[in-house]
Amino acid sequence: MPAKIDRVMVAHYGELWLRGRNRDLYIRKLKKNIATQLAGEKFRFGKSYDRIVLLLSKDSDSESIQSKLSGVFGISAYELVHRTEPDLKHIVKLAERLMKPLKGRRIHIVSHRSHKGFEFTSIDIIEKIVACAEKLGLDPRVKEYDAQLFVNVTKTDAFVYTDRHRAMGGLPVGTSGKAVILISGGIDSPVAAWYAMKRGLEPVYVHIHGFSDAKEIDGSKMPRILKTLSSFSPTSKYYYIPSHIFQMSAIGSMKYELILLKRFMLRVAEEIARREDADCIVTGESLGQVASQTSSNIAAEQHGISLPIHRPLIGFDKVEITEIAKKIGTYGESIKPYKDVCSINSRNPATRTKVEILDRLAEQANLDAVVARSIKSAAISAT
Ligand code: ATP
Ligand code: MG
């Protein structure tokens, strides 16, 4: 027999409502993602039509479950609901326990009976709880409140809760297909990855490194950044691609080296997308943030790439990106020193690159062959 329900975690999925016919598919995926993210936690799914219900028992770690749930895309809000017997005394006692820490707050009390056969009306329930709130030093009111307490009485249970937490929203990871994400050791691309996942893209990460031996990456900050990002996606795959084959073949293109390197990165991403069945590429570029990120450079870099390239941060300021990096937990690692291939390259990059010039340089460097050889030397792992 399963353990008796003690508390219930209710997750709401706002935007999924908009999805019409695909709604069931989205909800199934969301539940699957929740199950993966919450692996090892004690809970089971309860039945509900319009929300996701997780039944917790006495030995469930509700703090840990809440923290993991807050990292699942597709959930717009969640609340930890406490269960008691459908009996007025029990309800008031539980409400009292939940209101105690809210002393001094202006509280709005809401009651709903799903089971109309309950011997007290919602008004009766509210009156009792209001009296209790006043005794505890709270200020019950129906307008201009800063806290709420909800009661829901069903035939077999009474549910009471105070906090509704806003979650990240977005769409369940995997419902928009896969994306190859070009990830550097910097601040921006991990944030771009987060936004890509937020719109339901499952990440396949590609990082171009400057080490002579891929094993050196293991001791760098890259695995730590990727681990933090993996908490937002049930699965992710990483390709570590060496840059030395490119560096050797691109000699002599000084002024355009950085732009050619970007073309190389996009070409690598495109090839990997083909292998992984991904249908787009994501980068952390933001317009004008550094000298090389101009529209003409972007045009030259992406010329010939047949997949859509998403740049979620294109209109973001560095301050805004930094705030999100801190919120998602990648900032601390991103600012640590790292031998990034972009910084090794030309310090004075061209800012207005002509497509024809870059096409010629790519041909001279035999870029297609360089891409193929570099991917052959990739170190690949997955979670
Ligand atoms: P970031 O903070 O993400 O490094 P940035 O502001 O430093 O970005 P660039 O160095 O011009 O800007 O890089 C632009 C984008 O190119 C990055 O956001 C990332 O998507 C991609 N990129 C840069 N370096 C690498 C790399 N070593 N491997 C894979 N992708 C990279
Ligand atoms: Mg960078």
Side-chain angles (χ1 to χ4, degrees):
M1 212 178 89
K4 198 166 184 299
I5 307 165
D6 174 55
R7 287 150 299 165
V8 179
M9 194 78 81
V10 178
H12 305 265
Y13 39 68
E15 201 175 342
L16 296 186
W17 280 111
L18 304 174
R19 292 270 158 173
R21 271 187 308 134
N22 288 335
R23 194 174 157 272
D24 286 350
L25 202 85
Y26 275 68
I27 294 170
R28 263 205 307 274
K29 183 72 184 162
L30 179 57
K31 274 181 135 177
K32 205 169 156 211
N33 290 355
I34 292 174
T36 312
Q37 301 289 69
L38 265 59
E41 298 290 349
K42 293 204 169 62
F43 78 97
R44 59 196 164 89
F45 285 109
K47 279 207 179 80
S48 178
Y49 173 71
D50 57 357
R51 56 199 67 186
I52 287 178
V53 169
L54 312 181
L55 308 175
L56 314 192
S57 49
K58 276 234 157 16
D59 55 352
S60 302
D61 182 346
S62 64
E63 290 284 321
S64 164
I65 290 177
Q66 283 192 72
S67 129
K68 288 177 186 169
L69 213 55
S70 69
V72 177
F73 285 114
I75 297 176
S76 57
Y78 62 91
E79 62 246 357
L80 179 63
V81 180
H82 297 257
R83 186 217 158 266
T84 188
E85 300 303 319
D87 166 281
L88 192 53
K89 259 202 198 114
H90 281 96
I91 295 170
V92 176
K93 214 168 138 203
L94 177 55
E96 181 181 11
R97 177 157 73 81
L98 297 178
M99 288 191 299
K100 251 186 199 152
L102 303 177
K103 190 176 173 185
R105 301 270 293 270
R106 293 169 296 173
I107 194 163
H108 177 217
I109 294 150
V110 184
S111 174
H112 175 76
R113 292 175 312 150
S114 307
H115 171 54
K116 302 293 180 208
F118 186 59
E119 54 185 323
F120 298 98
T121 65
S122 281
I123 305 278
D124 297 334
I125 299 171
I126 291 172
E127 271 177 3
K128 283 273 184 212
I129 297 177
V130 162
C132 172
E134 282 169 343
K135 229 192 280 167
L136 289 171
L138 282 83
D139 176 9
R141 36 167 90 202
V142 287
K143 271 190 192 162
E144 291 172 10
Y145 43 83
D146 55 26
Q148 282 185 294
L149 180 128
F150 300 87
V151 179
N152 185 8
V153 188
T154 71
K155 201 165 180 175
T156 50
D157 312 276
F159 297 107
V160 185
Y161 67 93
T162 49
D163 292 319
R164 172 170 288 190
H165 303 275
R166 266 193 67 183
M168 302 185 302
L171 300 170
V173 172
T175 54
S176 300
K178 273 190 199 174
V180 169
I181 298 180
L182 278 170
I183 190 124
S184 73
I187 298 171
D188 305 340
S189 37
V191 174
W194 185 83
Y195 273 109
M197 289 187 272
K198 184 172 183 217
R199 296 316 298 169
L201 289 163
E202 180 184 336
V204 175
Y205 296 103
V206 172
H207 174 64
I208 315 286
H209 67 85
F211 299 111
S212 49
D213 183 349
K215 285 202 189 77
E216 287 180 70
I217 299 174
D218 295 342
S220 79
K221 63 185 184 176
M222 286 317 293
R224 291 196 288 274
I225 292 177
L226 292 170
K227 181 151 193 298
T228 303
L229 288 173
S230 75
S231 68
F232 300 106
S233 169
T235 51
S236 17
K237 197 165 178 183
Y238 326 120
Y239 281 75
Y240 293 128
I241 309 274
S243 61
H244 64 261
I245 302 169
F246 169 82
Q247 305 286 3
M248 282 181 322
S249 50
I251 288 168
S253 42
M254 285 288 276
K255 188 174 161 204
Y256 297 103
E257 198 168 326
L258 185 62
I259 320 299
L260 192 58
L261 174 64
K262 289 284 165 64
R263 167 79 72 89
F264 165 72
M265 289 180 181
L266 289 171
R267 284 282 297 112
V268 168
E270 184 182 37
E271 286 307 316
I272 292 173
R274 203 160 287 152
R275 283 183 180 209
E276 294 288 341
D277 210 16
D279 24 42
C280 61
I281 297 169
V282 173
T283 80
E285 283 156 318
S286 140
L287 202 59
Q289 194 194 78
V290 287
S292 62
Q293 287 172 3
T294 61
S295 289
S296 57
N297 279 357
I298 288 176
E301 286 158 19
Q302 72 175 26
H303 187 242
I305 305 290
S306 57
L307 291 176
I309 302 167
H310 299 314
R311 299 177 174 91
L313 309 184
I314 200 72
F316 281 52
D317 294 342
K318 197 75 182 185
V319 179
E320 292 167 322
I321 300 172
T322 302
E323 262 170 33
I324 300 159
K326 284 180 181 165
K327 196 176 88 181
I328 66 174
T330 52
Y331 182 76
E333 288 299 330
S334 286
I335 55 170
K336 287 188 183 158
Y338 184 65
K339 196 170 112 182
D340 194 66
V341 284
C342 284
S343 52
I344 303 166
N345 273 278
S346 146
R347 304 204 184 279
N348 228 339
T351 52
R352 289 165 162 271
T353 306
K354 287 207 164 67
V355 171
E356 311 80 66
I357 294 183
L358 204 70
D359 281 353
R360 203 179 62 232
L361 289 171
E363 214 176 293
Q364 275 168 13
N366 205 356
L367 203 65
D368 288 347
V370 170
V371 166
R373 281 176 55 211
S374 301
I375 294 177
K376 258 198 189 139
S377 316
I380 305 169
S381 59
T383 59

